[in-house]
Amino acid sequence: MDGNKLVLETERLLLRPHTLADAPVMAALVNNRKIAAMTGTIPHPYPDGAAEAFIEQAQSALADGTGFTLAIVRRSDSAFMGNIGLRPNQHHAAEIGYWLGEIYWGKGYATEAAQRMIRFAFEDLALHRVFASHFAINTASGRVMQKVGMTYEGTMRQHIYKWGEFHDLVYYGILVNEQTS
Amino acid sequence: MSKILETDRLMLRPPRRSDAPVFYRLINDPQIAANTLGIPYPFSYEQALSYIQDQLDRINTGEYRAFALALKPENQFIGYARLALREDHQRAELAYWLGKAYWNNGYTSEAVACLVDYGFQRLHLNRIYALCFADNTGSARVMQKAGLVYEGTWREDVLKNGVYKDVMFYGISRDRYETASR
């Protein structure tokens, strides 16, 4: 499979490979203190050139099949809204992660994207397990995990230090035989 | 960087290349492999050498505080333990194994209690955590005795010998450690 041709569709969304043309919109959306505050890896302010570097890395991982990071695009107007990624490991499991620009929160887009990505993981990649983690303060992300049928598996206490505070990290997982959609 | 810690019955000292023969004899064991996430069986002498070298490299970079567990008074090598540091999060992951001939004597608990104290008191960590297979009740007991609290189970997370195995995680943070120590 040429991962850079991978396109997943849902009712309202396209999950498609990034192009460098996405970089300005991505940088504008992700350069948001509220997003950075609830993720382990997104810095704030978001540095110049970081979106381009992220996209190039995503494209190369897609090309060699080591990672599947896609742009979340709204079909009705082709708006770039955020990212979703799946990173398989040698145990036939993959971690899923996602973020949406703040103006796109609260509409079920993350749930719709994650649901599709999980189906891709089980049906196309033949994986056994998909898991995800979120900062305990990010309850919206936890709700997404619940809505896509993931099961709460535990909380690593004070696992992440960010901006002067320790954050509990909450884990969810779903196994191939637990898929509902 | 080369620290030596001591308990009633054990010396915890940095691993050495000269540990390789006895290290190999103990680690090349299907029951060690069955109970650890990352140790295969069979385990060759060359793998033992490169395992030890890897520990030494990671000690040098500061990523690991790694220790051979040596039984007093002869200080023979009986097992291994390490803290994998993530200084940016002020935490460490603890991992350990003990040669089968030495099981059920409380040696691992003794070493782990020492490393938990070392992590909080000397390394000033905020959190220490450890993983074990859900069917490894011996390891879970070691964690509980050292004050680590059960935090959850990643279901069917690790493929080992053709079976997807549940992985439990246990942890202790500084607040709990200090409350328990008072």
Side-chain angles (χ1 to χ4, degrees), chain A residues 89-93 128-129 131 151-162 166 171 173-175 178, chain B residues 37 88-91 126-127 129 131 150-160 164 169 173-176:
Chain A
N89 63 31
Q90 78 269 30
H91 300 287
H92 306 164
H128 182 75
R129 164 181 165 84
F131 63 98
T151 300
Y152 171 76
E153 294 185 328
T155 299
M156 296 190 121
R157 260 186 95 238
Q158 302 185 12
H159 198 65
I160 303 288
Y161 185 74
K162 178 135 190 172
F166 291 102
Y171 275 90
I174 182 169
L175 304 176
E178 297 172 342
Chain B
L37 279 74
D88 49 346
H89 298 294
Q90 301 176 39
R91 70 175 193 236
N126 179 67
R127 165 176 168 79
Y129 71 105
L131 312 177
Y150 174 75
E151 294 183 331
T153 301
W154 293 319
R155 296 170 308 139
E156 304 188 17
D157 187 54
V158 167
L159 185 57
K160 184 98 194 187
Y164 293 106
F169 43 100
S173 302
R174 170 169 292 283
D175 51 4
R176 286 210 178 124

Side-chain angles (χ1 to χ4, degrees), chain A:
Chain A
M1 171 181 22
D2 179 355
N4 283 299
K5 294 206 173 82
L6 176 65
V7 176
L8 305 176
E9 293 184 35
T10 71
E11 193 187 334
R12 296 180 294 169
L13 309 175
L14 283 184
L15 311 180
R16 57 137 177 92
H18 294 79
T19 69
L20 280 175
D22 296 322
V25 187
M26 177 182 149
L29 291 178
V30 78
N31 186 33
N32 179 336
R33 218 183 145 76
K34 290 187 201 166
I35 294 176
M38 293 187 291
T39 59
T41 51
I42 297 174
H44 188 82
Y46 199 70
D48 280 350
E52 287 81 359
F54 178 91
I55 288 169
E56 280 167 11
Q57 199 179 17
Q59 289 170 334
S60 104
L62 271 177
D64 60 27
T66 53
F68 302 88
T69 297
L70 299 172
I72 304 173
V73 174
R74 186 160 59 190
R75 289 168 72 161
S76 62
D77 59 359
S78 299
F80 175 101
M81 300 193 291
N83 288 344
I84 187 161
L86 192 71
R87 194 170 48 190
N89 63 31
Q90 78 269 30
H91 300 287
H92 306 164
E95 180 165 17
I96 189 170
Y98 44 80
W99 63 264
L100 280 175
E102 189 178 354
I103 53 172
Y104 302 111
W105 292 359
K107 298 180 169 63
Y109 292 138
T111 301
E112 196 169 318
Q115 197 131 40
R116 183 67 189 87
M117 204 64 164
I118 290 170
R119 193 151 71 89
F120 170 73
F122 290 135
E123 294 181 3
D124 297 276
L125 300 180
L127 296 176
H128 182 75
R129 164 181 165 84
V130 175
F131 63 98
S133 65
H134 69 84
F135 284 14
I137 54 164
N138 188 0
T139 52
S141 189
R143 271 196 303 279
V144 168
M145 294 172 196
Q146 290 158 14
K147 280 193 265 180
V148 300
M150 300 178 104
T151 300
Y152 171 76
E153 294 185 328
T155 299
M156 296 190 121
R157 260 186 95 238
Q158 302 185 12
H159 198 65
I160 303 288
Y161 185 74
K162 178 135 190 172
W163 299 351
E165 284 181 76
F166 291 102
H167 290 273
D168 293 355
L169 194 63
V170 182
Y171 275 90
Y172 278 81
I174 182 169
L175 304 176
V176 61
N177 58 1
E178 297 172 342
Q179 243 189 315
T180 52
S181 58

Side-chain angles (χ1 to χ4, degrees), chain B residues 14 23-25 35 39-40 47 49-50 53 62 94 126 131 134 143 154 160 163:
Chain B
F23 187 100
Y24 163 68
R25 187 166 55 75
N35 285 320
I39 299 174
Q47 282 174 296
L49 284 171
S50 65
Q53 186 57 51
L94 174 66
N126 179 67
L131 312 177
M143 295 178 193
W154 293 319
K160 184 98 194 187
V163 178

Side-chain angles (χ1 to χ4, degrees), chain B residues 47-67:
Chain B
Q47 282 174 296
L49 284 171
S50 65
Y51 186 108
I52 292 171
Q53 186 57 51
D54 183 54
Q55 309 310 308
L56 298 175
D57 292 344
R58 290 174 193 256
I59 290 170
N60 283 334
T61 62
E63 185 190 347
Y64 274 12
R65 298 298 166 103
F67 300 90

